[in-house]
Amino acid sequence: MDHYINDVIVRGAAEALADGSAATEAHHLLLAIAAHEGTAAHRVLSAAGLGGQEIGQALDREFEHSLNAVGVSRTAYHLPEPSREGKNPPKLGASARLAIERGFAAATGKKDLRPAHLLLGILDTEIGTVPRALALAGIDRAELMAQTREALEHERW
């Protein structure tokens, strides 16, 4: 499991670098989980129609929706490409740290920790980018959490 968490954090940091973020946040970890095949977490996301591309599209819609909420139209302005400069990977941001903590808390102990616990940690929040993006994509977050819990009951990894 330690290798899996490290891989998700490394992949999440790569996602953060790709979009020019200063920190790796929960939505970057979600993209990393979607890219990591062979786990119950990946299967739950795939069954809900949430591959990496679909999650990326949902995050784009969330970004545009957030801009519109403050009166900014993405099409009215030429936004610069994200800066991908920087030699060090982005550090974990607050939402990513909380998601990991919630994932650990969802397991009965470190030995029982599995990838789906990390997915639960990401999904188990009422506010933030992930729940807004999922809502805009028409995904029932509570149902996705229930499917993740069911996968935890029936699958080892």
Side-chain angles (χ1 to χ4, degrees), residues 26-27 30 59 62 102 122-139 141:
H27 63 279
L30 182 61
L59 291 168
E62 187 280 331
R102 285 190 300 266
I122 292 168
L123 297 174
D124 189 19
T125 184
E126 299 288 327
I127 58 171
T129 302
V130 171
R132 286 191 309 266
L134 293 175
L136 288 168
I139 301 294
R141 191 177 49 81

Side-chain angles (χ1 to χ4, degrees), residues 90-144:
K91 296 200 184 303
L92 285 177
S95 67
R97 283 193 310 273
L98 285 171
I100 292 169
E101 288 173 15
R102 285 190 300 266
F104 275 94
T108 55
K110 188 174 180 187
K111 287 184 178 184
D112 296 324
L113 186 66
R114 291 178 288 187
H117 288 109
L118 185 53
L119 178 57
L120 275 178
I122 292 168
L123 297 174
D124 189 19
T125 184
E126 299 288 327
I127 58 171
T129 302
V130 171
R132 286 191 309 266
L134 293 175
L136 288 168
I139 301 294
D140 182 339
R141 191 177 49 81
E143 177 61 26
L144 192 58

